Amino acid sequence: MPTSPEPIALGQRFPLTIKRLDINGRGIGYFRRKITFVTGALPQEVVIAEVTAIHDRYLEAKVHRIKQPSPDRVPPLDPRADTVGGLELAHLAYPAQLAFKRDVVAQSLAKYKPAGWQHYRLDATIGMADPLHYRNKAQFPVRMIDGHVQAGLYKPNSHELVPLTDFPTQRPLTMRVITTLCGLLERLNVPIYDEKTNSGIVKTLVVRESFATGEVQVTFVTNSAKLPHKSGLLAGIAEQLPMVKTVMQNINPGRTSLIWGNQSQLLAGQPYITERLLGKEFQVSPQAFLQLNPTQTEILYQTALEALALQPGDTLCDAYAGIGTLGITLADQAKLVRGMDITPEAVADANANAKLNGVTNAQYEVGKAEELLPKWLQQGFAPDAMIVDPPRTGLDKAFLQALHEARPKRFVYISCNPSTLARDLVVLARDWRVDWIRSVDMFPYTARCEAVTAFSRR
């Protein structure tokens, strides 16, 4: 009788041929007919995989050695790529990254199988001419390491901080501001948060930079309302960092995975900085959502505008509107724009931005899209066009039902998560045909993918 194979053990090594990348950028192979996800491996490679976790239906592994490298493998963009998050594809040539992001959409469609998915037109991913230093925001935890105040990123699946003074996807000015702030905190002996004892004050530095104006916004996320040596800190910022136009404190007490707390106060300067997109100016407050890559945001929005094909006299609903960037950009072509967002600061920014740009036919309201859209429809609002840009969780069921009832003639979905996009398409494909899906590379060297879907009503 044939003997059963030995059970797979942690640390076991075996040769593996990599078939493709999964949606998180890990290589996929099959060992004893069991799917194996290998961090750091690329399609067409033969690797010696080392098992790091065993599950009922799959294995996780890392690359012990590469026997046959992929033609798309390149030297890692940064030596810290394996140490911190945000550079999952640092070893993959950029054209192959773009192809992968289109494939992520295809994988998601194949998993959920919305009606007609095999015939959807998937356009090539739009990449960047220079895919470096593209992020306009950094949110770095702050800790005491070897007697010094350091800010950086955690190692994957840990709370071990890797100090950073430069990073290939962050703007040099952003990193200079963070490094200078750490120096000020250290010189003034401001208490730094200790996660083990839940003591200390400063937990996180949030720095946002305007590509258009060079203005910088700084937020100290603190463990309490106290901020010792506040006056010295503000004086140091004014002297050493004149580009900083906003200094905010956000209070987020206790151990929590959330970066932001519920209470904020302006410490110095103005409550916003100004960014420009597609010829319009936008005021951005610290907690308001704005796409992290302004260069590609313009391309993303131009793609969405092309897909929407707004007609004169159309009434537009701008769902998950953030600070109103899309709706305000489109307001010149529409009769009326109504939008909503759950963040009060973002809605305040959106209404202020309408005024700033001389837009009188756009109005924004605080609330959940799945609650406000049904309410507006009951009140007689009948949008001719709808544009949605939801969070990674996708569209809520109540919103999908309201959308089914509204059935706008023109509809565009901007997605930051192909999996939830494909899931939502199962419902949306009942009312609309998918004309095309075009991915836009908002986050080079990561596995994240944004996509614009153009629909026409059945």
Side-chain angles (χ1 to χ4, degrees):
M1 292 179 63
T3 57
S4 299
E6 288 290 319
I8 299 168
L10 283 176
Q12 184 173 339
R13 296 171 183 168
F14 46 79
L16 198 67
T17 300
I18 305 301
K19 304 296 186 184
R20 66 180 194 277
L21 294 180
D22 79 340
I23 61 173
N24 297 309
R26 298 178 298 179
I28 292 178
Y30 294 86
F31 180 66
R32 297 184 189 168
R33 299 186 179 181
K34 202 167 194 176
I35 190 167
T36 304
F37 299 100
V38 187
T39 301
L42 296 176
Q44 305 178 56
E45 289 189 331
V46 178
V47 303
I48 302 298
E50 180 176 325
V51 177
T52 56
I54 301 169
H55 306 271
D56 289 342
R57 300 179 64 182
Y58 65 95
L59 302 174
E60 295 181 69
K62 63 182 180 181
V63 175
H64 172 68
R65 180 165 56 88
I66 299 171
K67 290 185 69 175
Q68 180 180 314
S70 162
D72 293 319
R73 179 173 285 277
V74 295
L77 174 70
D78 189 282
R80 299 161 294 190
D82 294 334
T83 311
V84 297
L87 292 174
E88 305 93 286
L89 303 181
H91 53 301
L92 183 61
Y94 191 56
Q97 292 182 40
L98 301 181
F100 158 72
K101 295 189 180 189
R102 181 185 180 277
D103 185 58
V104 168
V105 178
Q107 286 187 51
S108 300
L109 294 173
K111 177 181 178 181
Y112 286 94
K113 298 179 170 55
W117 66 275
Q118 304 98 320
H119 308 295
Y120 291 176
R121 185 184 119 197
L122 300 185
D123 291 347
T125 306
I126 303 174
M128 297 187 72
D130 179 10
L132 295 173
H133 306 301
Y134 56 80
R135 292 179 63 96
N136 64 0
K137 186 178 181 182
Q139 299 182 146
F140 282 7
V142 185
R143 299 292 183 267
M144 289 296 296
I145 298 176
D146 298 329
H148 295 287
V149 177
Q150 305 272 16
L153 295 170
Y154 292 128
K155 289 185 177 180
N157 305 311
S158 82
H159 275 222
E160 184 181 347
L161 192 76
V162 178
L164 299 172
T165 56
D166 65 279
F167 204 62
T169 60
Q170 293 286 357
R171 302 277 282 185
L173 176 58
T174 297
M175 298 306 298
R176 179 158 66 87
V177 169
I178 287 174
T179 303
T180 303
L181 292 173
C182 286
L184 284 170
L185 291 167
E186 183 174 322
R187 180 166 60 81
L188 294 167
N189 290 315
V190 178
I192 303 302
Y193 183 65
D194 184 318
E195 199 169 24
K196 291 179 181 175
T197 60
N198 190 31
S199 61
I201 301 293
V202 177
K203 299 170 90 173
T204 306
L205 293 176
V206 183
V207 176
R208 179 183 257 156
E209 175 185 343
S210 166
F211 279 32
T213 64
E215 295 174 335
V216 173
Q217 196 170 63
V218 168
T219 303
F220 294 96
V221 180
T222 60
N223 191 36
S224 74
K226 296 177 183 176
L227 183 54
H229 308 292
K230 184 194 306 180
S231 58
L233 200 54
L234 295 177
I237 291 171
E239 179 186 351
Q240 297 183 41
L241 299 169
M243 74 292 295
V244 173
K245 303 301 179 186
T246 304
V247 183
M248 190 78 73
Q249 179 185 3
N250 175 264
I251 301 156
N252 187 17
R255 296 183 180 93
T256 171
S257 59
L258 300 175
I259 291 174
W260 294 91
N262 295 324
Q263 184 183 348
S264 294
Q265 56 190 27
L266 183 67
L267 301 182
Q270 58 200 32
Y272 57 83
I273 58 175
T274 302
E275 187 60 273
R276 294 192 194 101
L277 294 168
L278 297 177
K280 301 277 199 257
E281 292 199 345
F282 296 97
Q283 296 176 358
V284 191
S285 57
Q287 281 183 259
F289 172 76
L290 180 68
Q291 292 280 359
L292 290 172
N293 183 339
T295 303
Q296 290 294 89
T297 297
E298 292 200 323
I299 292 171
L300 183 76
Y301 287 179
Q302 285 167 340
T303 304
L305 305 189
E306 175 192 336
L308 195 62
L310 205 63
Q311 301 299 305
D314 275 352
T315 298
L316 171 67
C317 181
D318 179 15
Y320 311 90
I323 62 170
T325 43
L326 271 166
I328 289 168
T329 299
L330 284 162
D332 294 344
Q333 304 170 41
K335 180 173 70 176
L336 174 69
V337 176
R338 289 188 75 174
M340 76 285 274
D341 197 274
I342 60 170
T343 307
E345 294 86 352
V347 171
D349 286 348
N351 286 315
N353 287 328
K355 289 182 181 177
L356 180 66
N357 289 283
V359 171
T360 58
N361 61 334
Q363 55 197 55
Y364 293 88
E365 193 172 325
V366 178
K368 295 180 178 179
E370 59 268 24
E371 294 174 0
L372 284 183
L373 182 58
K375 175 182 153 188
W376 291 352
L377 295 177
Q378 287 180 348
Q379 294 170 348
F381 178 60
D384 303 296
M386 171 81 67
I387 195 158
V388 299
D389 187 2
R392 293 186 63 78
T393 49
L395 299 176
D396 183 271
K397 287 182 180 178
F399 184 86
L400 285 166
Q401 179 58 37
L403 195 58
H404 171 73
E405 293 170 13
R407 293 196 71 206
K409 294 190 289 288
R410 280 169 282 285
F411 174 44
V412 168
Y413 188 146
I414 300 175
S415 168
C416 60
N417 184 345
S419 291
T420 52
L421 168 65
R423 180 204 68 197
D424 292 343
L425 284 173
V426 173
V427 177
L428 294 171
R430 299 169 192 166
D431 290 331
W432 286 276
R433 283 184 298 272
V434 172
D435 296 329
W436 45 263
I437 303 176
R438 187 176 305 156
S439 42
V440 178
D441 189 18
M442 301 291 289
F443 304 102
Y445 296 100
T446 78
R448 291 181 61 183
C449 172
E450 300 251 348
V452 176
T453 304
F455 297 89
S456 28
R457 201 166 72 181
R458 291 191 184 279

